Amino acid sequence: MVWDSAEVDWAGYRLAVLRSPWDYPSRRAEFVAWAETVPALANPADLVRWNTDKRYLRELAAAGVPTAPTTWLDPNADWNDPPATGEYVLKPAIGAGSLDTGRYDLANVEHRQLALAHVKRLHAAGRQVMVQPYLSAVDSAGETALLFFAGPDGLRFSHAIRKGPMLLGPDYGAEGLFRAEQISPRTPEEAELAVAERVLAALPGGPGRPLYARVDLIPGPDGAPVLVEVELTEPSLFLAHDPGAAERFADAIAARVR
């Protein structure tokens, strides 16, 4: 069922599982308001509200979770003093699928001008902008996404995948609802599992509430994993990349219904 369909009686379902509402960034207020009308929504509406604005990263950082360093630019704040050198990622605080996201070498005059234009474009649309140092380890190690599904005692690790680097340069726009990804199976390291567990423990209400969660990590400058995003609303779960993953997800749904 499509989330904004007026023909669906959402209150009539024992469980409604969010999967791919990737059109929400341009309609977030409407989407969150809809979520609050679905009594049996997984994940619950308050988690949807919290997770669809990446300012949640500030809360997780304050709770001691290692996160990518971020500068937040409000729509009414000009970016008058960007760093003189270094590669940086610009993206909206409310967004999905790596859309409206670009990578800029600020020592390059053209990149610098494009970065400033990127910020102005997002600000003109009333969107808050995130500025993060580009984590170069993604070019070699890639990004690790760890998938967790609900079990009897809270979220349990199911499987993990590797994402290849996606940001090759400035944002010139992209068609569709998400950028194409390079995906392969991955066995996470103990340090990655440990950071993911810290992320889940810091979720609002604790790790026992979500039906599913995805934790995305990239090695920081010292090689230790840092959180890029925690996905509780509409993550791809990459079920085809691990034998038994689809069955584990089905078991979690069946147990939640019971």
Side-chain angles (χ1 to χ4, degrees):
M1 301 294 186
V2 180
W3 70 268
D4 61 353
S5 172
E7 300 178 0
V8 181
D9 177 18
W10 294 106
Y13 289 94
R14 294 172 62 191
L15 185 68
V17 182
L18 277 170
R19 288 307 308 121
S20 54
W22 290 325
D23 59 345
Y24 83 79
S26 62
R27 309 166 60 190
R28 177 177 176 267
E30 181 184 354
F31 179 64
V32 171
W34 164 82
E36 292 172 346
T37 69
V38 184
L41 187 66
N43 292 326
D46 64 302
L47 285 180
V48 170
R49 178 182 292 278
W50 181 83
N51 187 235
T52 50
D53 186 328
K54 292 182 178 61
R55 286 180 291 183
Y56 67 76
L57 290 171
R58 297 192 294 198
E59 296 181 28
L60 295 177
V65 173
T67 61
T70 305
T71 298
W72 305 85
L73 304 176
D74 292 329
N76 59 355
D78 293 329
W79 196 30
N80 294 321
D81 190 26
T85 61
E87 285 193 286
Y88 286 82
V89 172
L90 302 180
K91 60 184 176 182
I94 297 173
S98 296
L99 297 184
D100 298 309
T101 300
R103 168 184 172 184
Y104 301 89
D105 179 356
L106 296 184
N108 179 296
V109 174
E110 181 183 2
H111 274 221
R112 194 175 187 84
Q113 292 174 342
L114 289 170
L116 291 170
H118 188 167
V119 171
K120 288 182 179 179
R121 184 171 70 250
L122 292 178
H123 278 177
R127 305 175 77 180
Q128 188 176 48
V129 179
M130 303 168 62
V131 182
Q132 297 175 324
Y134 184 71
L135 300 176
S136 60
V138 73
D139 294 332
S140 55
E143 178 179 325
T144 301
L146 298 96
L147 287 304
F148 295 82
F149 302 146
D153 53 354
L155 289 169
R156 290 182 172 181
F157 174 71
S158 171
H159 60 289
I161 57 93
R162 176 192 185 274
K163 287 187 184 181
M166 298 175 59
L167 301 180
L168 304 179
D171 175 45
Y172 296 108
E175 296 182 359
L177 295 175
F178 56 90
R179 294 181 188 268
E181 299 174 324
Q182 300 173 353
I183 306 298
S184 58
R186 165 164 278 178
T187 299
E189 298 178 355
E190 288 299 323
E192 293 173 322
L193 287 166
V195 170
E197 293 292 347
R198 291 171 65 182
V199 172
L200 301 178
L203 295 181
R209 300 182 67 216
L211 174 67
Y212 53 85
R214 197 184 85 203
V215 179
D216 295 343
L217 306 173
I218 295 177
D222 62 354
V226 299
L227 176 68
V228 180
E229 293 183 7
V230 53
E231 301 273 12
L232 302 175
T233 304
E234 45 23 286
S236 297
L237 299 179
F238 306 111
L239 300 177
H241 291 272
D242 184 88
E247 287 75 11
R248 289 191 291 272
F249 188 46
D251 288 343
I253 291 173
R256 184 62 58 94
V257 172
R258 290 194 296 269

